[in-house]
Structure formats: structure tokens, C-alpha cells
Amino acid sequence: MPETQNDSAFDATKITRPAPVLLTYYILVSVPSLFLALPLLWFRFLTLRYTFDHEGVSMRWGLLFRKEILLTYRRIQDIHLTRNLVQRWFGLATVGIQTASGSAGPEMSIEGILEAEPLRDFLYQQMRGARGETELPNDASGKPVSLGHGTNTTELLREIRDHLARINRLPEDQQ
């Protein structure tokens, strides 16, 4: 059986780059998806709505299948601001909001925002304000403890220390 010339001439160690025709293949494969992806993205753009109110943020989109995400400011754990090269060129950004849901990606991605930094700062303020609305600790009589708004940090820490000392003395006073 004669050995063909192609079998003896092949050397795999000489392959360092893909064939240039691969680029042509990628272009041909992406054209059908472009025509499929463009209408889907167009309908998403037309139906995408955001609502920011005093309790949280909501995002909804969809034509045939509606999807809605509601996040209260209390649930927000972290806020990420991302911009790829094209977004930077257009002045756009995506604000990703993460919660403690355990997913690796953001729970909500607010896309197409021109004023991304002010939106991020607004969300941080709302997030901190929502956490500051929790009930204050009660003293022995059941009344909320005043932490003295407008005081400096040292005075606030002294008030907390004194309040904890009063709580620790309660079991001794009852005996």
C-alpha cells in the first residue's frame, strides 16, 4: 500500500494560528444571529421601563413574555457600574445591582444609562437610608433609645457605651 504524500507531510507542531478562513466562517455564522438578535433587542428597548420610588426600584420588559424585577432598597447589597468600549463611546453604562440572593451575577442590570454615577450615588443613599430606618434598640422600659442625632461620633459611642452598661446592670438590679 503506497503512503500518500499528505500523510508524511503533516506536522502538527507547525500549527500556531487558525486558518484565515475561520474569520470568514465567523462572519457567515453571525449574520443569521444578527437578524434574529436585532428584533429581540429592538423589542426589549421598546418595552424596557424603570421605576424608582421611595421603597425600591423596578424594571420590566417584554412583549409576549413580560418579565418584572422588583428590588427594595433594603435588599441591595452592592452596586456595580460597568462600561464596555462601545458603551464608553456612546456615554452609556450599565448599573448592576446585587442582592444576597446567592447568584453570581447581578439581580438587576439597569442598562443604557447616561447619568450612571449620579444614579449609583442615589442608589447608595437610598440603600443606606433604608437600612437606617430600622427600629432603634429599646431600653428596659421598652421606649426606643435616642442616639442623639447631630452628635459627633465620640458622643454617639459614649451613649452606646452607657446604654450597654445600663442593660448589663439590669439582671443585677432584678436580683
Side-chain angles (χ1 to χ4, degrees):
M1 189 176 207
E3 191 174 336
T4 63
Q5 191 175 9
N6 290 342
D7 291 338
S8 63
F10 178 75
D11 186 7
T13 60
K14 294 184 179 181
I15 299 173
T16 58
R17 304 254 321 135
V21 73
L22 183 64
L23 181 60
T24 306
Y25 170 77
Y26 282 164
I27 292 170
L28 289 175
V29 169
S30 67
V31 168
S33 66
L34 176 70
F35 292 118
L36 179 64
L38 190 59
L40 294 175
L41 293 172
W42 175 254
F43 286 123
R44 180 179 169 101
F45 173 75
L46 289 177
T47 60
L48 187 58
R49 299 287 182 265
Y50 303 114
T51 305
F52 298 89
D53 60 17
H54 65 280
E55 290 188 22
V57 108
S58 71
M59 177 176 145
R60 66 183 183 282
W61 70 95
L63 193 61
L64 296 175
F65 301 100
R66 297 282 287 163
K67 185 165 182 178
E68 186 168 359
I69 300 173
L70 302 168
L71 290 179
T72 60
Y73 295 122
R74 268 181 213 280
R75 289 187 54 214
I76 296 174
Q77 295 288 319
D78 203 5
I79 302 166
H80 296 278
L81 184 67
T82 57
R83 289 185 171 117
N84 63 31
L85 183 64
V86 177
Q87 285 176 323
R88 283 188 300 230
W89 188 45
F90 287 117
L92 298 173
T94 300
V95 179
I97 301 174
Q98 289 187 316
T99 63
S101 66
S103 64
E107 184 84 15
M108 178 187 291
S109 292
I110 302 171
E111 302 170 327
I113 302 299
L114 292 173
E115 303 86 12
E117 289 88 3
L119 177 62
R120 180 193 56 205
D121 296 342
F122 167 79
L123 290 171
Y124 271 126
Q125 275 184 330
Q126 296 300 317
M127 179 179 81
R128 289 184 192 118
R131 292 192 181 144
E133 293 173 0
T134 59
E135 289 185 24
L136 295 173
N138 296 332
D139 64 6
S141 65
K143 294 186 293 188
V145 174
S146 171
L147 296 179
H149 298 294
T151 61
N152 65 30
T153 307
T154 307
E155 292 172 8
L156 182 63
L157 289 172
R158 285 185 184 130
E159 285 184 43
I160 292 171
R161 179 200 61 200
D162 295 342
H163 178 70
L164 289 173
R166 283 194 302 274
I167 290 173
N168 287 334
R169 283 193 297 252
L170 280 176
E172 296 171 4
D173 293 343
Q174 292 175 353
Q175 291 178 351

